[in-house]
Amino acid sequence: MSVGCSPVPMLKWIKADLHIHTVLSACADLDMSPREIINTAKLLGIGLLAITDHHAIDNVAACREVAKGTGITVLFGMEVQTREEVHLVCLFPSEDLADSFAALVAQHLPSNWLSLGAGEIQAVVTANDQVVRLDQRKLLASLDLSVEDVCGAVARHQGLTIAAHVDRPQYSLLANLGFVPPELPVAALETISDAAALHKKHPSTVGYPLLCSSDAHCLPMLNKEKYTYFYVAEDVTLSEIRMALKGEGGRKVRIEN
Amino acid sequence: MLLSQIVKELTLDQLTDFHGAERTVGGVYVADLISLVMANAKQDDLWLTHQGHQNIVALASLLRLSCVVIGGGMRCQEETIRKANEEKISLFGSTLPIYELAGRLYVCGLQPSAYAEMD
């Protein structure tokens, strides 16, 4: 028995979805409440979620509260729209760091808030699905920050940046910027394509880990053909995810049907 | 049409060193999505856009575009300007809306090839 070494944690495969919207995103259905999301994830055997509303983190804590005792881990996340209209999923290791990042984002949203369209609702809710308040500012707008600025700010908040839905014809790194900018510190690319097809069409994507997330705006979207699986310690943290994306310490990631 | 003439006609702001003033502009391509430009722009085209990200330089260099004009008063990142000078790509700026810029280019005689053939 070795002395002075930290014990090797038990690793296991965990089904994950790192891009989910709640009722705080105007484009999401009203059934995307913390209870419904966590219940659906439980039914689907998803063990790791990231809640990623547009430019807001207010509903993450409620989702984490509902997830308590279920074995499901919920990460603090946010989906950001850069100056170039590129969508980035940003994940953070703690509420404090996510809060601090959210404050920074608020400073870079347009000062002349657009109002919400008819029927659009952005609701901050409790773990009991009670509405705390309605956010009337249109949260989905481009920040006055470039993709590089956002990646840098996320790194300063000890977070991870994932380029969202890179195969979409708009709001994606590949459509808007043509190719992955050299040395952009994105931890992974979110795609629905298989690796070979993506690499053939976009050679600049070679070398980046790929993830498959739902970008769910309604409950049925959580049920997908393919999922990301992480081989990580049972007590999942963002650093476990970081290790898996880098293939360190026996941690790994794969996409499977 | 010479690039230097166009710069004068449209009173464009020079964002980088002026690389190849005597260069001929072959045509114009207007888009903000770089993927569209990759697929459609041609050598010697003037690229009219709102996009100020550094990736515009790599693409302008790859496709051998005559220059990039960033319209609508959009700001261009410092890194973009630095890279453009390195790659000898001319970048220009204008506070005019890109519709207005496109219109002026058209009046200058830079018409889509299909229309030019009709004359």
Side-chain angles (χ1 to χ4, degrees):
Chain A
M1 195 175 172
S2 62
V3 179
C5 285
S6 54
V8 178
M10 184 88 133
L11 304 181
K12 65 171 200 172
W13 285 105
I14 294 174
K15 189 174 177 179
D17 188 340
L18 299 184
H19 188 169
I20 298 171
H21 291 270
T22 75
V23 285
L24 186 48
S25 295
C27 43
D29 279 6
L30 284 179
D31 56 6
M32 293 303 273
S33 71
R35 276 186 176 184
E36 294 288 352
I37 291 171
I38 300 302
N39 282 339
T40 308
K42 209 159 139 190
L43 289 171
L44 293 168
I46 302 171
L48 173 66
L49 306 178
I51 298 297
T52 56
D53 286 309
H54 297 291
H55 299 148
I57 58 153
D58 307 54
N59 279 350
V60 186
C63 292
R64 285 168 64 93
E65 201 179 321
V66 178
K68 250 181 219 163
T70 62
I72 296 173
T73 303
V74 178
L75 297 175
F76 285 95
M78 179 193 290
E79 186 174 22
V80 164
Q81 180 170 311
T82 71
R83 176 189 292 150
E84 304 88 359
E85 298 194 346
V86 171
H87 283 194
L88 300 172
V89 165
C90 309
L91 306 178
F92 301 95
S94 72
E95 185 163 19
D96 284 351
L97 288 159
D99 258 336
S100 162
F101 182 80
L104 175 83
V105 161
Q107 289 169 17
H108 290 277
L109 274 161
S111 49
N112 51 335
W113 290 100
L114 292 169
S115 42
L116 285 173
E120 285 188 317
I121 289 173
Q122 297 172 155
V124 176
V125 295
T126 66
N128 294 320
D129 290 0
Q130 300 295 307
V131 175
V132 178
R133 64 184 171 86
L134 296 177
D135 202 321
Q136 298 297 345
R137 308 168 304 170
K138 194 174 179 69
L139 290 167
L140 182 49
S142 293
L143 301 185
D144 182 22
L145 294 171
S146 67
V147 286
E148 283 81 7
D149 294 337
V150 172
C151 287
V154 171
R156 285 196 300 281
H157 289 81
Q158 299 164 39
L160 279 185
T161 311
I162 298 161
H165 38 69
V166 296
D167 1 47
R168 296 241 189 105
Q170 66 268 315
Y171 299 117
S172 84
L173 189 65
L174 295 176
N176 294 37
L177 296 183
F179 50 94
V180 184
E183 292 162 43
L184 185 73
V186 285
L189 309 176
E190 179 194 308
T191 177
I192 50 165
S193 310
D194 64 69
L198 186 73
H199 292 162
K200 191 173 174 217
K201 199 172 172 199
H202 299 282
S204 66
T205 59
V206 173
Y208 289 95
L210 303 180
L211 299 177
C212 181
S213 307
S214 68
D215 189 11
H217 286 71
C218 59
L219 293 171
M221 283 179 78
L222 289 168
N223 190 4
K224 302 183 292 145
E225 281 179 19
K226 292 191 289 185
Y227 286 91
T228 304
Y229 289 81
F230 288 101
Y231 190 63
V232 287
E234 200 164 354
D235 184 17
V236 195
T237 58
L238 194 62
S239 58
E240 285 288 324
I241 300 305
R242 195 189 305 271
M243 286 170 81
L245 293 173
K246 290 182 175 171
E248 290 173 354
R251 276 76 168 171
K252 47 196 170 183
V253 58
R254 67 180 161 93
I255 295 173
E256 197 165 283
N257 292 21
Chain B
M1 191 168 183
L2 289 179
L3 181 53
S4 53
Q5 279 175 279
I6 292 173
V7 171
K8 205 174 152 195
E9 288 285 336
L10 273 67
T11 57
L12 299 175
D13 304 321
Q14 203 177 309
L15 301 177
T16 56
D17 298 336
F18 202 154
H19 309 283
E22 295 312 304
R23 193 167 174 165
T24 304
V25 175
V28 179
Y29 192 76
V30 188
D32 294 337
L33 295 182
I34 299 182
S35 52
L36 274 181
V37 185
M38 283 172 85
N40 298 305
K42 294 181 183 63
Q43 184 173 338
D44 297 326
D45 274 358
L46 176 154
W47 174 12
L48 183 52
T49 186
H50 290 113
Q51 187 65 260
H53 187 270
Q54 60 189 40
N55 274 16
I56 63 174
V57 176
L59 188 61
S61 175
L62 182 76
L63 297 181
R64 298 181 186 179
L65 304 180
S66 55
C67 70
V68 184
V69 177
I70 302 165
M74 292 297 283
R75 279 188 298 141
C76 175
Q77 291 164 241
E78 283 302 314
E79 186 64 10
T80 309
I81 294 171
R82 194 184 63 74
K83 286 208 163 131
N85 277 323
E86 259 177 35
E87 298 272 331
K88 302 207 183 314
I89 297 294
S90 297
L91 299 183
F92 300 96
S94 175
T95 51
L96 290 174
I98 63 170
Y99 175 66
E100 172 103 27
L101 290 166
R104 291 189 187 196
L105 288 165
Y106 194 94
V107 169
C108 280
L110 285 164
Q111 296 170 5
S113 49
Y115 288 89
E117 281 160 17
M118 279 162 63
D119 291 342

